[in-house]
Amino acid sequence: MSPRKLFEQELEELRQDVLQMAEWVQDGYDCLFAALEKKDGDQMRRYVRHDRTIEDMQRNIESQCLSLLTRQTPVARDLRTVSAALKVVTDLERIGNHLSDMAELFVRMDLPELSRYSPAFPDMVRETRTLIGKAARAFVERNMAMGQEAIDADDGIDDFFNRIKEDLVKELKKDGSDADGCVDALMTAKYLEKIGDHGVNIGQWEIFQETGEIDEIRLL
Amino acid sequence: MEHASIMNKKRRVSDQLLEALIYLCAFLAVGLLLGIIGYVFWRGFRTVNWSFLVTEQSPTKGIMGIAGNIVNTLYIVVLTLLAATPIGVGGAIYLNEYAKPGKFVSLVQFTIETLTGIPSIIFGLFGNVFFGKIFGYSMLTGALTLTIMVLPLIARNTQEALRTVPDSYRSGALGIGATKWYMIRTILLPSAMPGILTGVILAIGRIVGESAALLFTAGSGYYLPKGGMGLFRKLFESGGTMTIELYLQMAKGKYDVAFGIACVLLALVLLLNLLTKYLAGRLNVENRK
Amino acid sequence: MQDSKISVSSLNLFYGENHALKDINIKIRENTVMALIGPSGCGKSTFLKCLNRMNDLVDGVKVDGKVLLDGEDIYDPGVDTTLLRKKVGMVFQQPNPFPMSIYDNIAYGPRIHGIKNKSRLDEIVENALKGAAIFDEVKDRLKAPALGLSGGQQQRLCIARALAVEPEVLLMDEPTSALDPISTLKIEELMNDLKKRYTVVVVTHNMQQAARVSDETAFFLLGELVEADETMNIFGHPKDKRTEDYITGRFG
């Protein structure tokens, strides 16, 4: 039996809050692309402001972490959990940010059909979603193997990005009439690729949370 | 919610009664003591004058003086302490610092405690038979007898004092490499000095007040020692302390003289107490500058 | 290994029937601070006292195994404990200045070891007080009684007293457990300073303190040495589950 009941409880709350934030980000991702598919402009415009909530969640979790550090001076696995949570929420917040930026982009592009620019787009959207889903679950459930899967999945995302880029370059060389659209589509691909990178980070923080190492470099 | 009141509604009568009783006891104790001292001085002060203090008694010339007895008293005090202090303190150090707890130590401890409670006439009897056989009626016999008598007093007080010296002093000194004896000499004995002196004061009190143990050991001589050699010879001569003389005068029915001696005796005890208190203050390591 | 100041192998200690230290093996490197942590009664203080044979003073203690100090076994029958304790000094949990002046407290050790020369003693006293970061606070009242100092000052005085015999190893048994936070910090700062010249072994119940001051940490439990490693490793990712449970406060 642990004499640190309050501390355990607070750590559990922290875990729940990170879980909630991760779910919020993933829901946002799903809503965004659903709205794009349904060509729901109102929903999309509302989504531009979506990152405000995520930022609030981030601040709340950061404040919880700092309070835990101050009052409970965690060490060893607890210290790794708290410091990893601090880093993970930054990645989640960045993902949220990219989603909002994409929403803005889609509104400007008047809700385009991405597959028109490259057939790889639907796959990339799906795979990126899978990656961040895995990464977030790995972190919250403390599943190192799943974290590693998320990290490994990033190569696929990078491949999609390169393919889309090639397709767009081809398209531009062939016919420069929709240059704006092509550039925006390229940016969309870049956002997705960045989201994948943040997912990789989250996967890595899960591994750090268990081992104290990141990229095989000992941090703690 | 109902709050409990802390106001006292009535003080308990039994409390007040007890308090009054306790005050009464205190006044009785102090009153009795002051009464005795006052009475002794009132009865005795007329007898005490300069010549009473500085001349020796001479029944042939009809002179009454207690100079010899005063010297005898101081002499036997010094002699006894000279023997009893080192043995008592040494024994206490052994028991407290060296001896491993066990049957032997318990036995010694028990003996010391028993010795404290033995009536002094028994010491007198023993001294008379044992030391008296060798040295006759003499100051030495008396002093040796008294030594046995006050030994437990000094040993016990020293032990108590050593026990109050914190163990941290011991480990502190040993921890920087002091040997055991060096630690005892430089830390324990200075710290225990006030306690040792208390033992010595009590011992002085007992010596000065003793009559039964001395009557049949040191005898009742009242002559002053003659010169330096006389002081040495005195060791083997009979000599009565003031208490013995007091007893003898009482036995002769000379109460005025007896009260006079009592006056001087009280003054001497007071003086010795003040002196040891002063020494204790000087020796107390905590005030040492 | 050349740079291990103290090397303990197969050390067992019995208090009568009680097996208080069980097969301890550990090396303590020169010029480092090693912290010993563990719950009360785990043997860490007992182990500390083994390093300068203060356990000899306790009845019924039996020690076997080897404690090598610079390659010499301190439990060898030929060892002079006075010389051993000159080399391995000790600071206790409760500040224990002797009831004498500040100066005499510091000079106590050197005097044991035969230093009588007044100017030499003056120099030692000054250096020791400076080494324990208390010189400025007491330099005007060296003749004042040491018991008049505050608790924190008394403890630094005791450190100075230990330093005055020029030890090579300094053992500290919960040196700050009786002190206020500011005095504690001063002593922690001091430990960091001391390891430049000495090898310091400190027993502490305060894990933050162990994390702050030590280079290496050893965790004891029920007379066993569970884990000894660099402090960052012990507090970052201990290898043994028992260590982790203890330092994260999940020890039942």
Side-chain angles (χ1 to χ4, degrees):
Chain A
M1 210 211 60
S2 163
R4 297 186 79 175
K5 277 214 180 108
L6 178 65
F7 181 43
E8 303 255 30
Q9 198 183 317
E10 286 177 327
L11 281 176
E12 178 55 26
E13 277 167 23
L14 178 65
R15 201 179 74 91
Q16 290 298 338
D17 286 353
V18 173
L19 175 69
Q20 201 194 357
M21 184 175 174
E23 278 172 355
W24 187 263
V25 169
Q26 292 172 67
D27 284 352
Y29 192 100
D30 295 340
C31 289
L32 180 74
F33 287 99
L36 182 64
E37 201 165 312
K38 280 185 274 172
K39 302 232 177 240
D40 185 343
D42 291 340
Q43 173 72 27
M44 191 62 85
R45 261 182 291 280
R46 241 178 289 142
Y47 204 80
V48 174
R49 295 271 159 241
H50 198 72
D51 60 346
R52 290 281 169 84
T53 317
I54 290 179
E55 241 166 67
D56 286 347
M57 288 174 149
Q58 181 198 10
R59 298 292 168 241
N60 174 38
I61 291 173
E62 281 171 345
S63 140
Q64 273 182 62
C65 289
L66 293 179
S67 153
L68 277 169
L69 287 173
T70 311
R71 290 179 302 109
Q72 304 281 8
T73 45
V75 292
R77 102 181 141 227
D78 301 332
L79 178 58
R80 297 196 302 262
T81 297
V82 175
S83 50
L86 263 178
K87 300 293 290 188
V88 161
V89 294
T90 312
D91 285 310
L92 287 173
E93 192 267 342
R94 296 308 306 158
I95 294 175
N97 239 328
H98 291 328
L99 291 176
S100 289
D101 290 348
M102 273 199 279
E104 218 176 316
L105 198 62
F106 293 156
V107 170
R108 197 159 38 142
M109 291 165 79
D110 203 13
L111 309 173
E113 206 169 303
L114 289 173
S115 54
R116 206 158 45 92
Y117 293 98
S118 165
F121 256 119
D123 292 336
M124 186 178 191
V125 168
R126 196 185 58 248
E127 289 303 311
T128 306
R129 172 65 181 83
T130 312
L131 189 153
I132 57 170
K134 269 186 181 164
R137 238 182 92 194
F139 186 81
V140 175
E141 289 173 9
R142 309 202 61 151
N143 184 337
M144 242 167 71
M146 195 182 281
Q148 190 59 48
E149 277 176 40
I151 294 168
D152 295 342
D154 191 45
D155 290 345
I157 305 290
D158 287 348
D159 288 346
F160 286 129
F161 175 72
N162 287 330
R163 256 162 55 202
I164 291 171
K165 197 176 81 180
E166 279 162 24
D167 288 348
L168 287 168
V169 169
K170 244 182 270 168
E171 174 72 21
L172 275 172
K173 280 183 179 160
K174 203 170 62 188
D175 167 19
S177 64
D178 191 14
D180 281 351
C182 285
V183 172
D184 286 342
L186 183 62
M187 279 180 72
T188 304
K190 188 68 197 166
Y191 281 134
L192 287 170
E193 191 263 340
K194 293 297 281 180
I195 288 174
D197 285 348
H198 288 298
V200 168
N201 286 351
I202 295 172
Q204 284 177 326
W205 288 119
E206 157 52 18
I207 292 173
F208 165 81
Q209 183 172 229
E210 310 304 333
T211 63
E213 285 180 22
I214 198 154
D215 269 347
E216 279 158 21
I217 293 165
R218 174 151 305 294
L219 293 189
L220 195 67
Chain B
M1 194 191 135
E2 185 75 13
H3 293 288
S5 170
I6 55 164
M7 289 302 149
N8 191 355
K9 295 192 182 75
K10 54 173 194 269
R11 271 191 79 193
R12 286 189 203 149
V13 184
S14 59
D15 263 16
Q16 284 169 323
L17 202 69
L18 262 175
E19 198 175 318
L21 263 173
I22 285 166
Y23 270 94
L24 187 70
C25 290
F27 278 117
L28 263 177
V30 176
L32 280 173
L33 189 67
L34 287 178
I36 291 170
I37 294 175
Y39 185 73
V40 167
F41 272 96
W42 180 70
R43 285 288 305 265
F45 80 97
R46 266 164 301 206
T47 320
V48 182
N49 54 42
W50 188 242
S51 74
F52 181 72
L53 292 176
V54 299
T55 47
E56 60 179 37
Q57 190 181 340
S58 171
T60 47
K61 293 183 201 154
I63 301 170
M64 185 55 218
I66 57 165
N69 304 107
I70 293 177
V71 170
N72 286 343
T73 307
L74 295 175
Y75 195 98
I76 211 154
V77 165
V78 171
L79 205 59
T80 307
L81 290 181
L82 232 45
T85 311
I87 300 174
V89 172
I93 289 175
Y94 169 76
L95 285 176
N96 248 48
E97 307 297 326
Y98 286 94
K100 291 206 161 57
K103 283 218 173 88
F104 178 69
V105 170
S106 311
L107 186 74
V108 175
Q109 201 71 55
F110 181 72
T111 313
I112 288 177
E113 263 143 49
T114 315
L115 276 177
T116 328
I118 290 180
S120 55
I121 186 70
I122 295 178
F123 287 106
L125 182 66
F126 171 78
N128 174 268
V129 174
F130 189 76
F131 298 119
K133 271 278 184 316
I134 313 166
F135 304 113
Y137 274 96
S138 70
M139 298 294 273
L140 191 59
T141 306
L144 288 173
T145 310
L146 287 182
T147 297
I148 298 175
M149 201 177 79
V150 299
L151 203 56
L153 217 54
I154 292 176
R156 278 199 50 178
N157 277 284
T158 306
Q159 267 190 300
E160 292 299 325
L162 287 175
R163 266 182 221 137
T164 61
V165 178
D167 264 342
S168 65
Y169 288 0
R170 294 179 178 83
S171 43
L174 297 172
I176 41 177
T179 58
K180 194 153 193 172
W181 173 239
Y182 188 86
M183 179 271 290
I184 290 170
R185 190 161 62 80
T186 55
I187 306 285
L188 287 195
L189 285 182
S191 304
M193 199 46 88
I196 297 175
L197 275 167
T198 307
V200 169
I201 293 176
L202 290 173
I204 292 173
R206 271 205 89 167
I207 297 166
V208 170
E210 192 49 55
S211 54
L214 283 174
L215 200 53
F216 301 107
T217 53
S220 56
Y222 41 70
Y223 298 110
L224 275 170
K226 306 283 180 289
M229 266 319 278
L231 213 52
F232 174 73
R233 267 203 304 277
K234 192 82 197 164
L235 265 183
F236 305 102
E237 287 168 9
S238 147
T241 61
M242 288 154 76
T243 318
I244 296 291
E245 191 59 35
L246 176 80
Y247 165 77
L248 294 174
Q249 294 296 333
M250 264 172 78
K252 286 186 235 165
K254 293 186 177 171
Y255 281 94
D256 285 342
V257 178
F259 274 110
I261 297 173
C263 268
V264 180
L265 205 51
L266 280 177
L268 185 74
V269 169
L270 186 70
L271 204 70
L272 285 171
N273 272 2
L274 289 177
L275 183 74
T276 31
K277 277 248 166 66
Y278 169 75
L279 282 177
R282 284 289 302 269
L283 288 173
N284 191 340
V285 278
E286 272 157 51
N287 321 328
R288 205 193 282 168
K289 288 278 140 60
Chain C
M1 211 165 74
Q2 189 51 48
D3 63 352
S4 72
K5 184 76 182 170
I6 297 172
S7 165
V8 178
S9 48
S10 314
L11 182 76
N12 282 281
L13 183 140
F14 300 84
Y15 279 123
E17 291 294 292
N18 179 12
H19 196 172
L21 288 176
K22 296 168 190 161
D23 195 35
I24 308 291
N25 291 285
I26 192 170
K27 287 185 187 334
I28 301 172
R29 286 187 291 131
E30 190 157 13
N31 298 109
T32 57
V33 176
M34 171 167 271
L36 310 180
I37 61 170
S40 296
C42 67
K44 57 191 188 304
S45 283
T46 305
F47 174 72
L48 188 79
K49 288 186 190 119
C50 282
L51 300 180
N52 75 343
R53 289 183 55 176
M54 286 300 275
N55 282 327
D56 289 16
L57 309 170
V58 183
D59 288 331
V61 165
K62 212 177 105 253
V63 180
D64 68 48
K66 269 201 165 69
V67 178
L68 299 182
L69 173 66
D70 291 328
E72 293 177 312
D73 187 0
I74 68 169
Y75 282 94
D76 190 280
V79 166
D80 179 349
T81 53
T82 295
L83 293 178
L84 169 67
R85 290 175 193 151
K86 176 182 184 316
K87 194 166 165 175
V88 184
M90 188 150 195
V91 175
F92 299 84
Q93 181 175 4
Q94 287 290 333
N96 59 346
F98 301 137
M100 41 177 92
S101 73
I102 293 170
Y103 183 97
D104 288 336
N105 260 281
I106 309 295
Y108 189 83
R111 280 174 179 147
I112 296 172
H113 302 289
I115 297 171
K116 298 229 164 59
N117 180 302
K118 175 86 173 78
S119 60
R120 177 90 187 90
L121 278 177
D122 287 350
E123 191 188 321
I124 290 172
V125 169
E126 184 172 333
N127 286 336
L129 288 169
K130 278 180 178 158
I134 192 184
F135 184 68
D136 289 335
E137 287 161 67
V138 301
K139 65 181 172 210
D140 301 322
R141 45 177 173 148
L142 291 177
K143 296 290 167 200
L147 293 170
L149 297 174
S150 75
Q153 288 173 326
Q154 288 191 4
Q155 192 61 304
R156 276 178 290 146
L157 180 81
C158 292
I159 294 174
R161 188 175 66 195
L163 297 183
V165 295
E166 289 160 2
E168 294 170 28
V169 179
L170 203 56
L171 309 177
M172 298 178 144
D173 191 358
E174 296 183 47
T176 63
S177 65
L179 304 183
D180 65 277
I182 300 295
S183 306
T184 300
L185 284 180
K186 282 186 182 164
I187 293 201
E188 288 181 3
E189 290 283 306
L190 185 56
M191 281 188 228
N192 193 42
D193 203 37
L194 291 174
K195 76 174 179 197
K196 290 173 196 145
R197 278 166 297 150
Y198 311 95
T199 304
V200 180
V201 186
V202 56
V203 166
T204 177
H205 270 137
N206 180 338
M207 265 168 308
Q208 263 61 55
Q209 178 169 78
R212 280 194 297 266
V213 303
S214 69
D215 302 295
E216 299 197 29
T217 298
F219 171 57
F220 283 78
L221 186 64
L222 301 169
E224 271 179 74
L225 173 63
V226 174
E227 190 171 349
D229 201 345
E230 282 175 29
T231 299
M232 265 311 282
N233 291 345
I234 294 281
F235 287 96
H237 60 109
K239 290 188 188 69
D240 197 292
K241 172 99 177 32
R242 292 170 290 173
T243 314
E244 177 134 41
D245 284 349
Y246 181 70
I247 61 169
T248 59
R250 288 184 180 77
F251 184 78

